[in-house]
Amino acid sequence: MKKKHFTLALILALSMTSFANERDDLNFIDELYKQKNFDMAIVESKEFLNKYPDSKYNKNMLDRIAKVYFLQEKYDDAIKYFKILLLNNKISSKEKTEINYYLVRCYAALGDKKVSEEYLHMIDPKNEYYDKAILDSATTYLAKEKYNDAKETYMLIKPDSKFYNDALLNMALLSYNEKQYQNCINYIEKYSNLRGKKRNDFMNYLLGSAYYKLNNIDKAIWAFNKTIDEGNDSPYAQKAILNLVEIYSNKGDIATTESKIALLTNPNDYNEGIRILGDSYATKGQYQKAIECYNKITDLSNPKLLYSYGFSLFKMNRLKEAQNYFESLKTSSYYNQAMYYIFAIDYQLKNYKKILDNKDEIKRVIVNQQDTESINLIIANAAYELGKYELSRDYYGRMYAVNPTLENLYRIIIMDNKIEDLQDMQIRFNEYKNKFAQTGDKQKNVYLAMGELYYKKGKYEEAVNIYKEYLESNQDFDVTNNLITTLLAQQKYDEMMGYLSQLDDSLDNMYLKGVALIGMGKYNEASEYLNKVETDPNVTPELVEKVKINKLRNSFLKDDYSEAIKYGNEYILTYPQGQNLSEALDKTAISYFRIDDFENSRKIYERMKSIPDSAEYAQFQIADNYYAQKNYEKALENYSLIAKNFPNGKYTENANYWYLNSLVNLGKIDQFEIEKKAFLNRYPNSTMKENIFILSGQIYEKSGNNEKLLENYKTLYSNAKTPSLKDEAAAKIIEFQLNENNFNEAMKNIDTIHDPEIKSYYTAMILEKQGKNADSIKEYEKLFNGKKYKDFAGMKLGAYYYDKKQYDKAKTYYVEMDKLENSKYKDFVLFQLANINEIQGKNKEAFRGYTKGYVMYKGQYSTISKFKAAQVAEKLNMEKDAEKLYRELYSQEKFEHKKFVLEKLIYFALKRQNKVEAKKYYNELQKLDKKASEKYKQFFN
């Protein structure tokens, strides 16, 4: 409701000074590492490197940072610091080999096998690190379920390597994980024939497990017994016994199961046997029986039991209880399996914030690929629910990188639209068109999302092309609606209406035509279409709501505020929960305001305060309403409510600013000075900071305290931290001195301005006031070739040469000014160009220029342009046009040349032999200028 002028904010810089010496800092960092406070240790280590770039400890510091990042699985960061280490000329060959070893593993962990192998080749094949790097990177691929990469990498280890046995057994495990159980058995048989094999218990246990998976129960039992024969105390022997418990429990042989459980003499193993029996029930879907087994176990410290408990409770939809069990696994190896269920339960319970708070948990443990994708989907969806679209896109992107499906790509496209990342969305859209068939339920939404983002970015032509491409093979109301909206934005009315005319007269299309006509400013025609749609017996409730809000928009845009109030109240009453309720309330309140019905305007905004997202805006408008009414006491009260109820709100700073203005208007200057100080302390970088200094200046000006006024601007200049702000302050000082005709001081202050254009602007002003026109014109010429003051300089130069009757020269400046996209002198320029054309006898060009002036602009030169157009029309013998224009001027109550217009209308009426009409104008002329009317008296006697 008010124009607010914002200026550049003052940016303050803070600096910190460190007093700790190098040794103290080093000891502090060592202590952080000892306490395993790695995050802070890394921060301090980086700070150490910055503070002491030449320290002898820097190599060790970099090594620590890199390895901690590696252990934290922050492989990109680890790579960065390992590479910095490699640039250190003081590292030994051994250290370099170790760094390359870590780089092999980092890139393997990131899934970049190619680069991982490049660093592998930098290690001497004869060095032990070479085969170790192969084994460890392959094992990383295995853990991340990148089985092909793991397999290819294990194959690099030769039979004579000390790591060959481990590689072979791991290949058996890999085959097992790939469900290639026969291959697993083959590898184990090969491993069993090797010399120096040390993992017979694991070998037999894995063999039994493979047979078990192949449902060869007899051989599985044999292998598990072989595991036990290797030593009953072996962990794998215990697992073998427990597997036998599972086998017999699955057979339903409870007696044998219990006899096997009895073999587990250790209480923990015994409890595990009971758990496995419970798990066998769970695998059969008998979750209640499973829980009954678990209830027999008194020791709840076993993570397997907790997991089994949680799983069965989850399946029984006892979600909160299940989550308690899963979360209790946080310090156990089962946490990676429980993590999915923790996230899934939180999502079902709509604990979206908790999900995002815990999103980094997945980095702390190794989670299988399937669970990782599922958790990423949950995190992405939770972020979406909370409106954190960039985070949501990040996680959808991770999913698409691993699993490039249409669904995952679609999710990224929707997020790109939400965060308005045009560059990425263009890539994704082309990817969609190239990789996936452009059919199905996603196609429409993908095209809509792409077109809408082009529209938001002002790329209307691209948006139109997207919509047209879709409509070539489909017919759709929403896409057509967006196409029409975009064509409206381009002001391509003919194309838009031509497009609409090709469509049938369905209610949807009639509605679109109404909307289009609103955009064209044909408000009456728009009303006709909207009314037809609304009164049709077949119209849907959804379309009626759209019609009603557009009837309000139509009335509002044509400035028919009484009608807007009618339609606004109708919408508010009919759709108390409507999707456009906030807009309806706002436009209705503004309409009341514009007819000076402040009270009803405020009542509407009071209603708007009940909408959470609009409450602060509504409160601000209530305060603004009182301010506009000049009820500054109430404005003060309501601005203070914003600061109280929305201390960090969107409008709080503005409210505090206008609170200060209200104090000034109430004459509470002392309180203003106190509150001004508080405002500047709270908002040191406020864009309104200079406005407050200017406001202070206005106060000092009203009080006649010129000394304080000048001091105010000098203070602003001395405190300004940026050249642009200093220039503005210096400009205020110069303007003050110009008003005081203190030209010498003003010229001295010119040198305090940094910007050459601003400097030239004020130099020109001073020279002009000193009467040094030739010198001032040179400065205006400089400005005209610049950007900031081009229009102002052009106006000055044009006027200068116009006054000297050098019309062609003046015209060159006016023509250039007319080409400017934004200029406050547009109407004046059009008037002057037309004026010059008229002087030069180019009446057709003059008529066109005057017409353009009054048609396009409603400012200072609008009426005089119409007046001049009428006169030129007479010169061109276009008497009908001239008379029409004179009639329009006649209808203006306070037109300056009313007598002249009356005489012209008398003339035209008499020429058409319409004495009745001529007499009407004659009578009016008599009242205005009896003497002037005498010459027409003869025609009416």
Side-chain angles (χ1 to χ4, degrees), residues 827 853 856-864:
D827 54 349
M856 291 185 64
Y857 302 100
K858 303 300 178 186
Q860 178 182 357
Y861 294 92
S862 174
T863 301
I864 192 65

mmCIF file of all heavy atoms in Angstrom, residues 827 853 856-864:
data_model
loop_
_atom_site.group_PDB
_atom_site.id
_atom_site.type_symbol
_atom_site.label_atom_id
_atom_site.label_comp_id
_atom_site.label_asym_id
_atom_site.label_seq_id
_atom_site.Cartn_x
_atom_site.Cartn_y
_atom_site.Cartn_z
ATOM 1 N N ASP A 827 7.176 9.227 -21.474
ATOM 2 C CA ASP A 827 6.072 10.027 -22.000
ATOM 3 C C ASP A 827 6.569 11.387 -22.513
ATOM 4 O O ASP A 827 6.137 11.874 -23.551
ATOM 5 C CB ASP A 827 4.979 10.209 -20.939
ATOM 6 C CG ASP A 827 5.500 10.764 -19.632
ATOM 7 O OD1 ASP A 827 6.734 10.827 -19.442
ATOM 8 O OD2 ASP A 827 4.670 11.119 -18.770
ATOM 9 N N GLY A 853 1.723 8.564 -27.294
ATOM 10 C CA GLY A 853 1.944 9.158 -25.979
ATOM 11 C C GLY A 853 0.745 9.063 -25.070
ATOM 12 O O GLY A 853 0.863 8.681 -23.904
ATOM 13 N N MET A 856 -0.333 5.054 -24.485
ATOM 14 C CA MET A 856 0.542 4.212 -23.665
ATOM 15 C C MET A 856 0.774 4.745 -22.259
ATOM 16 O O MET A 856 1.080 3.986 -21.345
ATOM 17 C CB MET A 856 1.899 4.025 -24.357
ATOM 18 C CG MET A 856 1.837 3.187 -25.612
ATOM 19 S SD MET A 856 3.473 2.877 -26.304
ATOM 20 C CE MET A 856 4.219 1.912 -24.994
ATOM 21 N N TYR A 857 0.616 6.042 -22.073
ATOM 22 C CA TYR A 857 0.954 6.621 -20.779
ATOM 23 C C TYR A 857 -0.197 7.497 -20.276
ATOM 24 O O TYR A 857 -0.883 8.160 -21.035
ATOM 25 C CB TYR A 857 2.242 7.443 -20.873
ATOM 26 C CG TYR A 857 3.409 6.620 -21.352
ATOM 27 C CD1 TYR A 857 3.830 6.676 -22.682
ATOM 28 C CD2 TYR A 857 4.076 5.754 -20.491
ATOM 29 C CE1 TYR A 857 4.893 5.905 -23.131
ATOM 30 C CE2 TYR A 857 5.140 4.975 -20.930
ATOM 31 C CZ TYR A 857 5.543 5.055 -22.250
ATOM 32 O OH TYR A 857 6.575 4.288 -22.680
ATOM 33 N N LYS A 858 -0.383 7.494 -18.975
ATOM 34 C CA LYS A 858 -1.446 8.280 -18.351
ATOM 35 C C LYS A 858 -0.868 9.323 -17.396
ATOM 36 O O LYS A 858 -1.460 9.652 -16.384
ATOM 37 C CB LYS A 858 -2.390 7.347 -17.575
ATOM 38 C CG LYS A 858 -3.003 6.244 -18.409
ATOM 39 C CD LYS A 858 -3.830 6.788 -19.566
ATOM 40 C CE LYS A 858 -4.405 5.677 -20.423
ATOM 41 N NZ LYS A 858 -5.075 6.180 -21.626
ATOM 42 N N GLY A 859 0.293 9.799 -17.733
ATOM 43 C CA GLY A 859 0.966 10.725 -16.833
ATOM 44 C C GLY A 859 0.796 12.179 -17.220
ATOM 45 O O GLY A 859 -0.210 12.592 -17.824
ATOM 46 N N GLN A 860 1.832 12.942 -16.922
ATOM 47 C CA GLN A 860 1.800 14.396 -17.083
ATOM 48 C C GLN A 860 1.552 14.827 -18.531
ATOM 49 O O GLN A 860 0.922 15.853 -18.781
ATOM 50 C CB GLN A 860 3.140 14.963 -16.581
ATOM 51 C CG GLN A 860 3.275 16.459 -16.724
ATOM 52 C CD GLN A 860 4.646 16.935 -16.246
ATOM 53 O OE1 GLN A 860 5.450 16.152 -15.762
ATOM 54 N NE2 GLN A 860 4.897 18.233 -16.408
ATOM 55 N N TYR A 861 2.054 14.045 -19.504
ATOM 56 C CA TYR A 861 1.990 14.459 -20.902
ATOM 57 C C TYR A 861 0.876 13.758 -21.682
ATOM 58 O O TYR A 861 0.778 13.912 -22.892
ATOM 59 C CB TYR A 861 3.341 14.203 -21.573
ATOM 60 C CG TYR A 861 4.429 15.072 -21.008
ATOM 61 C CD1 TYR A 861 5.215 14.619 -19.952
ATOM 62 C CD2 TYR A 861 4.633 16.360 -21.492
ATOM 63 C CE1 TYR A 861 6.202 15.419 -19.407
ATOM 64 C CE2 TYR A 861 5.619 17.170 -20.947
ATOM 65 C CZ TYR A 861 6.397 16.700 -19.898
ATOM 66 O OH TYR A 861 7.354 17.502 -19.362
ATOM 67 N N SER A 862 0.047 13.014 -20.979
ATOM 68 C CA SER A 862 -1.007 12.263 -21.656
ATOM 69 C C SER A 862 -2.054 13.197 -22.275
ATOM 70 O O SER A 862 -2.359 13.115 -23.464
ATOM 71 C CB SER A 862 -1.676 11.297 -20.675
ATOM 72 O OG SER A 862 -2.768 10.669 -21.270
ATOM 73 N N THR A 863 -2.580 14.100 -21.469
ATOM 74 C CA THR A 863 -3.654 14.988 -21.942
ATOM 75 C C THR A 863 -3.149 15.965 -22.997
ATOM 76 O O THR A 863 -3.805 16.171 -24.029
ATOM 77 C CB THR A 863 -4.264 15.756 -20.764
ATOM 78 O OG1 THR A 863 -4.790 14.810 -19.823
ATOM 79 C CG2 THR A 863 -5.389 16.666 -21.235
ATOM 80 N N ILE A 864 -1.971 16.528 -22.758
ATOM 81 C CA ILE A 864 -1.451 17.496 -23.723
ATOM 82 C C ILE A 864 -1.121 16.806 -25.051
ATOM 83 O O ILE A 864 -1.257 17.395 -26.127
ATOM 84 C CB ILE A 864 -0.208 18.237 -23.147
ATOM 85 C CG1 ILE A 864 0.154 19.439 -24.028
ATOM 86 C CG2 ILE A 864 0.965 17.293 -22.998
ATOM 87 C CD1 ILE A 864 -0.901 20.511 -24.048
#
